[in-house]
Amino acid sequence: MRLTEYEKELLDGKHGEAVQMAMRVLCDLGEYYGAEEFVEIVACHDDSTVYFGEAQVAFAEHLAALGAQFAVPTSTNACALDMERWSRQRHDATVLSATRRIEASHLKMGAIPSWTCAPYQTGFSPFFGAQVAFAESNVIAFMNSVVGARTNRYAGPLELLCGIAGRAPYFGLHKTENRYAQGLVVLDETLPDNLFDDPSMFNYVAYAYGKIVGDRVWALQGLPKNKITMDNLKQFSATAASSGGIALFHLIGITPEAQTLDMAFGGKLPQETVVLGRRELEDAAASLCCVTGAGPIDLVSLGCPHFSYAELQTLEQLFAGRRVHPQTAAWVFTNRASYAQAESSGLLDRIKALGVQVFSDGCLMEYPTAAWGTRSIMTNSGKFATYCFNKVGIHPVFGNLHDCVETAVSGQAVQRGLPWND
């Protein structure tokens, strides 16, 4: 790889052992992918924050002990639990201890303690065209596809090292020529726009899209722009990145680099075109919701990715003063910023008075199933529905937020049916 004089100094250890270690790893990464040079980054989102084992914790502590400092603003992803309310969640104290060590090492290196899987909803969002090193699948997809920043699909601790070095190998989605769409998915014209009044449609379409595309860069034509919200795009990003290995999708007329088909494909024609219709949506629905029919629900699980303030407002409206059923738990995860806003506005107290448990920092995927004896879960998250069985050993019931609230109130699974079957 061609290195600047400054990068040679970093690699030679003239600016400390920690950044030298980072550069060595990143040089190896770049050479493996055929990168010829580095690109300077302006931000980092670090996903090496959920506790998975001692090696992960020790590595961050080792870097901090060497004097590592983030060279660019670096936000922290969600961790394993709510660091203030962990005992209410029945998490083991050893998990809290490890998480606090992760927190201490990251703060020592200068990280911003955001602790959220939706940093773009808390003010941590780079500008269009910015070169960044982001991890967490939904964040990667959202940044590339909605914001128009540029990142590869990094995973901890690679993005951590990019943040320390202030640069990333220049390959993949950092480069313009690799960001053009290769194929096109077209929504069947028989699917009317009013189907998207049901937010779950964005999960169903995203899941089907991910299955078609895999890890390629493709475009999607047909999403009604007048139905788009940031929270819908958040769910689309999370679900598409879960059913497929998607880092960048082009929503025609929505993605900044895909305002037209010509922009999305760089003036070329699609190599392949696939129509996404009712059959694909039926398959997506069957995959997202393996369990159907009425039955008791132990937990209604919301906030994957973390709830925004707007979603908390919608949640209160849907409850309409009713309380969570005494045999059912309703958990919501949000970020610290939205939690603080809800607290200061009085919204948090009103939601909690309904029997809803609101947490911050943590991740629904790390739910301590055994500690609660939970047997059934319902969610409105396509990502959580995709990963739930592998993570917590339960096949979930999937529905939109309205269904989840009705389920929480009644204690029994409530599903209004698939939008396209009405």
Side-chain angles (χ1 to χ4, degrees):
M1 296 179 67
R2 295 191 304 269
L3 302 183
T4 65
E5 289 304 314
Y6 177 64
E7 289 166 350
K8 290 177 182 177
E9 290 181 1
L10 295 178
L11 186 60
D12 289 341
K14 294 182 180 179
H15 295 272
E17 187 177 350
V19 71
Q20 180 185 38
M21 178 189 298
M23 285 295 292
R24 284 175 175 172
V25 174
L26 295 176
C27 280
D28 287 345
L29 178 70
E31 289 174 3
Y32 178 82
Y33 282 102
E36 297 180 354
E37 59 187 342
F38 282 100
V39 62
E40 290 189 42
I41 61 172
V42 299
C44 172
H45 183 68
D46 182 16
D47 189 27
S48 60
T49 49
V50 175
Y51 172 60
F52 287 124
E54 177 60 25
Q56 165 206 2
V57 182
F59 182 68
E61 289 179 331
H62 177 63
L63 288 171
L66 291 176
Q69 288 289 301
F70 289 112
V72 296
T74 298
S75 51
T76 52
N77 198 52
C79 57
L81 41 67
D82 186 319
M83 285 187 261
E84 298 298 328
R85 290 160 282 271
W86 63 276
S87 60
R88 191 188 308 166
Q89 297 173 317
R90 299 186 187 175
H91 273 290
D92 193 286
T94 58
V95 179
L96 174 68
S97 176
T99 301
R100 286 299 191 186
R101 289 169 59 196
I102 292 171
E103 177 191 37
S105 59
H106 278 72
L107 294 182
K108 187 175 181 180
M109 290 186 283
I112 302 165
S114 52
W115 308 112
T116 181
C117 52
Y120 43 83
Q121 292 191 309
T122 64
F124 300 106
S125 183
F127 52 87
F128 172 77
Q131 297 283 1
V132 300
F134 278 29
E136 212 296 323
S137 58
N138 98 83
V139 180
I140 295 163
F142 192 97
M143 285 299 165
N144 276 319
S145 314
V146 180
V147 176
R150 300 186 171 197
T151 180
N152 285 321
R153 191 167 165 134
Y154 293 107
L158 286 177
E159 79 288 348
L160 170 67
L161 299 178
C162 288
I164 292 171
R167 55 221 344 99
Y170 190 48
F171 73 97
L173 296 179
H174 288 292
K175 305 182 74 170
T176 299
E177 59 265 31
N178 296 327
R179 296 177 65 86
Y180 293 119
Q182 302 156 7
L184 177 65
V185 175
V186 180
L187 281 184
D188 194 316
E189 60 184 15
T190 64
L191 299 172
D193 286 359
N194 62 9
L195 292 183
F196 289 87
D197 291 337
D198 185 337
S200 65
M201 276 295 293
F202 289 90
N203 284 294
Y204 294 128
V205 171
Y207 191 94
Y209 175 84
K211 285 297 183 184
I212 293 167
V213 173
D215 62 356
R216 297 172 292 180
V217 178
W218 275 41
L220 173 65
Q221 186 174 38
L223 274 187
K225 289 192 288 185
N226 63 331
K227 307 296 183 182
I228 292 293
T229 68
M230 178 176 279
D231 289 316
N232 290 339
L233 292 175
K234 175 176 66 180
Q235 284 294 333
F236 190 99
S237 299
T239 304
S242 303
S243 66
I246 290 176
L248 166 61
F249 53 81
H250 289 295
L251 303 181
I252 303 303
I254 299 167
T255 297
E257 295 166 81
Q259 292 301 296
T260 64
L261 278 171
D262 191 63
M263 284 179 64
F265 288 89
K268 299 179 181 179
L269 294 175
Q271 298 173 12
E272 184 181 353
T273 300
V274 177
V275 176
L276 195 165
R278 293 180 184 242
R279 185 185 68 182
E280 290 74 21
L281 292 175
E282 292 281 357
D283 291 343
S287 296
L288 286 173
C289 191
C290 301
V291 181
T292 58
I297 295 294
D298 296 331
L299 172 68
V300 174
S301 186
L302 305 170
C304 179
H306 282 171
F307 253 35
S308 66
Y309 185 85
E311 287 174 303
L312 290 171
Q313 288 180 307
T314 301
L315 184 69
E316 181 191 25
Q317 293 165 5
L318 290 174
F319 266 100
R322 298 170 297 168
R323 287 185 53 81
V324 175
H325 191 275
Q327 300 302 315
T328 300
W331 280 25
V332 179
F333 268 107
T334 187
N335 56 72
R336 290 186 178 187
S338 294
Y339 191 96
Q341 290 168 350
E343 188 172 38
S344 63
S345 69
L347 176 61
L348 181 63
D349 284 340
R350 296 196 301 273
I351 290 175
K352 289 166 64 176
L354 303 174
V356 178
Q357 296 278 349
V358 183
F359 301 104
S360 65
D361 300 349
C363 174
L364 289 177
M365 302 290 182
E366 305 306 311
Y367 176 74
T369 311
W372 288 93
T374 303
R375 295 165 298 176
S376 56
I377 297 177
M378 186 170 187
T379 186
N380 74 328
S381 164
K383 176 177 180 176
F384 184 70
T386 302
Y387 292 145
C388 184
F389 181 76
N390 287 336
K391 293 295 292 184
V392 302
I394 295 173
H395 288 296
V397 179
F398 179 80
N400 61 26
L401 186 56
H402 175 275
D403 294 341
C404 289
V405 169
E406 295 304 313
T407 296
V409 171
S410 68
Q412 300 286 319
V414 175
Q415 293 173 290
R416 291 188 299 176
L418 299 172
W420 54 90
N421 288 338
D422 289 344

